[in-house]
Amino acid sequence: MRSRVEGDREHLDRAFAGKRVLISGGAGFIGSHLARALVARKADVTLVDSLIPEYGGNLFNLHGIEDRVRLNIADVRDEHSMKYLVKSHQVFFNLAGQTSHLDSMSDPYTDLDINCRAQLSMLEACRKENPTIRIVFASTRQIYGKAARLPVDERHPLAPIDVNGINKMAGEWYHVLFSRVYGIPTCALRLTNTYGPGMRVKDARQTFLGVWIRRLVEGEPIEVYGDGEQLRDFTFVDDAVDAFLRAAACDGSAGEVFNLGGDERISLRDLARLAVEVAGQGEIHHVPFPPARKAIDIGDYYADYAHIRETLGWMPHVALREGLTRTLAFYRQHRAHYWA
Ligand SMILES: NC(=O)c1ccc[n+]([C@@H]2O[C@H](COP(=O)([O-])OP(=O)(O)OC[C@H]3O[C@@H](n4cnc5c(N)ncnc54)[C@H](O)[C@@H]3O)[C@@H](O)[C@H]2O)c1
């Protein structure tokens, strides 16, 4: 594996051929896209996913590659299963997570067990059974909390404002610690809002955008909370997958944390307008911010992703309009697999 990828697509394509790769959360939104990309690069792919119904796993996400991956229906909280699974793999993309911010407030211990304790036990399993395994962890911009300055780079203070953010932060730091102290080549990607085909649309547990997509496909109005002035950035899932691949294929990533981002900073109000325009139907209703959401809203956020651009040569390629078009087209065709 080379020290710097610098957009070398050929290197990236070759880096995973024949590699034994494990993906936790592999039946979820991003994990399944990653699995598809790895199968195309001839990797030997094993997925682990609990398929807990309230979470984002969906077997249809694996449509077309189900015969080319191994799927282990197991929970990352099960130390025995994970100990066995990490043993035989060279690369571990660690994406399994409880993703709902509101659920983390109403049921904080489940979030703690999955996003914090299980992360530590998986790393302990790697340390004992397979300390040379490369690990890429799916972290989140939520750990910054409310931005003190914009754009947010990796040196921005971490001050999460919900239980999920605190547990994801701990999960991320365990990964970095195990790299620095034990030399296990881990790194973390701090994802911003990631969207695309296969994203959670049945409810707002992952993001409001998923619900908007579903309602637009149904021809229903979409709701914007408050004035919708909050600025955000978005990453299309193919670009996020590209970042995961680069992070695993590049020696320069060990012990690092990287922001992902998007080039189009947009207010939620303008995003709603764009989504309605792209869908060709639907209307926007402004409604008061639900108090439980307002209490954990991070306000404006957009990332500075210079660190990953300079270290791994990553940058986003799919524009928001294009990404929304592809996402809406996917759900128009496959909605029966995602909501009744
Ligand atoms: N989608 C985003 O915008 C976004 C933003 C920031 C961070 N992330 C992080 O990226 C990762 C993947 O997110 P996603 O958007 O694909 O979500 P997702 O819900 O579609 O995927 C997560 C997967 O993890 C599985 N899972 C959950 N708990 C598990 C457990 N205990 N054992 C085994 N599997 C379990 C779920 O079944 C699901 O398939 C998560 O860790 C999330 O925190 C995502």
Side-chain angles (χ1 to χ4, degrees), residues 2 11 13 25 53 62 70 72 117 123 150 154 165 169 263 285 308 322 326 332:
R2 285 185 352 187
H11 166 69
D13 287 348
L62 303 172
R70 267 179 303 278
N72 253 276
R117 192 185 195 288
L123 286 161
L150 290 163
E154 292 84 353
M169 181 174 76
D263 287 332
H285 290 179
I308 189 168
E322 166 68 14
R326 282 158 66 175
R332 285 199 165 116

Side-chain angles (χ1 to χ4, degrees), residues 25 28-30 49-50 55-57 74-76 95-97 138-139 168 194 206:
F29 164 43
I30 304 169
D49 201 298
S50 56
Y55 293 177
D75 198 296
V76 294
L95 282 82
S139 184
K168 289 292 283 191
T194 308
Q206 194 176 55

Side-chain angles (χ1 to χ4, degrees), residues 212 228-232 234 265-272:
W212 286 5
E229 290 291 335
Q230 310 98 295
L231 293 173
R232 295 292 159 84
F234 293 83
R265 299 154 188 177
I266 188 167
S267 72
L268 300 188
R269 193 193 51 210
D270 288 346
L271 178 69

Side-chain angles (χ1 to χ4, degrees), residues 281 291-292:
Q281 61 184 16

Side-chain angles (χ1 to χ4, degrees), residues 24-31 48-52 55-58 61 74-77 94-99 114-115 137-142 164 168 189-195 198-200 206-207 244:
S24 74
F29 164 43
I30 304 169
V48 50
D49 201 298
S50 56
L51 291 177
I52 295 168
Y55 293 177
N58 184 330
N61 287 342
D75 198 296
V76 294
R77 289 169 287 187
N94 187 8
L95 282 82
Q98 193 301 106
T99 61
I114 298 174
N115 289 329
F137 174 67
S139 184
T140 170
R141 60 120 164 88
Q142 192 71 11
N164 179 263
K168 289 292 283 191
L189 303 180
R190 291 180 182 160
L191 276 59
T192 187
N193 299 283
T194 308
Y195 72 104
M199 70 191 293
R200 187 188 188 97
Q206 194 176 55
T207 158
F244 276 95

Side-chain angles (χ1 to χ4, degrees), residues 12-316:
L12 213 52
D13 287 348
R14 282 196 310 267
F16 296 99
K19 283 257 155 37
R20 293 187 307 281
V21 178
L22 179 66
I23 307 176
S24 74
F29 164 43
I30 304 169
S32 61
H33 280 271
L34 190 53
R36 210 171 283 282
L38 286 160
V39 162
R41 288 169 175 81
K42 301 189 170 40
D44 179 353
V45 181
T46 300
L47 314 177
V48 50
D49 201 298
S50 56
L51 291 177
I52 295 168
E54 296 76 37
Y55 293 177
N58 184 330
L59 289 180
F60 188 75
N61 287 342
L62 303 172
H63 180 64
I65 57 164
E66 51 278 80
D67 298 337
R68 297 164 73 192
V69 297
R70 267 179 303 278
L71 173 61
N72 253 276
I73 310 217
D75 198 296
V76 294
R77 289 169 287 187
D78 178 350
E79 292 181 24
H80 299 293
S81 305
M82 291 314 296
K83 197 169 164 183
Y84 173 79
L85 281 167
V86 299
K87 218 183 263 190
S88 50
H89 291 92
Q90 295 162 288
V91 182
F92 177 21
F93 291 103
N94 187 8
L95 282 82
Q98 193 301 106
T99 61
S100 164
H101 301 289
L102 280 181
D103 286 5
S104 81
M105 303 305 287
S106 57
D107 178 10
Y109 302 117
T110 300
D111 195 90
L112 177 76
D113 287 344
I114 298 174
N115 289 329
C116 184
R117 192 185 195 288
Q119 305 306 317
L120 181 58
S121 72
M122 282 189 277
L123 286 161
E124 275 290 273
C126 292
R127 181 174 73 81
K128 290 177 187 151
E129 306 292 334
N130 188 2
T132 58
I133 191 168
R134 297 183 76 94
I135 309 177
V136 184
F137 174 67
S139 184
T140 170
R141 60 120 164 88
Q142 192 71 11
I143 71 177
Y144 292 115
K146 287 184 201 292
R149 56 171 192 270
L150 290 163
V152 173
D153 66 15
E154 292 84 353
R155 288 179 297 277
H156 186 286
L158 302 181
I161 56 164
D162 59 29
V163 168
N164 179 263
I166 292 175
N167 292 329
K168 289 292 283 191
M169 181 174 76
E172 179 197 285
W173 283 24
Y174 287 137
H175 282 77
V176 174
L177 181 82
F178 273 60
S179 173
R180 293 190 182 154
V181 176
Y182 301 121
I184 301 173
T186 72
C187 71
L189 303 180
R190 291 180 182 160
L191 276 59
T192 187
N193 299 283
T194 308
Y195 72 104
M199 70 191 293
R200 187 188 188 97
V201 293
K202 62 187 173 191
D203 56 35
R205 277 197 164 91
Q206 194 176 55
T207 158
F208 61 91
L209 183 55
V211 176
W212 286 5
I213 299 280
R214 173 165 62 79
R215 293 185 70 82
L216 288 171
V217 168
E218 289 173 326
E220 297 289 328
I222 60 176
E223 290 182 344
V224 173
Y225 298 150
D227 57 14
E229 290 291 335
Q230 310 98 295
L231 293 173
R232 295 292 159 84
D233 58 359
F234 293 83
T235 308
F236 188 67
V237 65
D238 291 2
D239 286 326
V241 165
D242 184 42
F244 276 95
L245 298 179
R246 284 167 191 267
C250 176
D251 290 333
S253 63
E256 295 290 321
V257 295
F258 300 103
N259 282 346
L260 300 194
D263 287 332
E264 295 159 274
R265 299 154 188 177
I266 188 167
S267 72
L268 300 188
R269 193 193 51 210
D270 288 346
L271 178 69
R273 286 187 187 140
L274 178 63
V276 167
E277 187 193 324
V278 169
Q281 61 184 16
E283 58 188 64
I284 300 165
H285 290 179
H286 284 269
V287 298
F289 233 117
R293 283 200 182 274
K294 184 71 190 163
I296 57 171
D297 182 56
I298 59 164
D300 291 346
Y301 175 90
Y302 45 90
D304 176 339
Y305 64 82
H307 184 39
I308 189 168
R309 189 183 61 226
E310 282 155 22
T311 313
L312 305 182
W314 179 86
M315 55 191 297

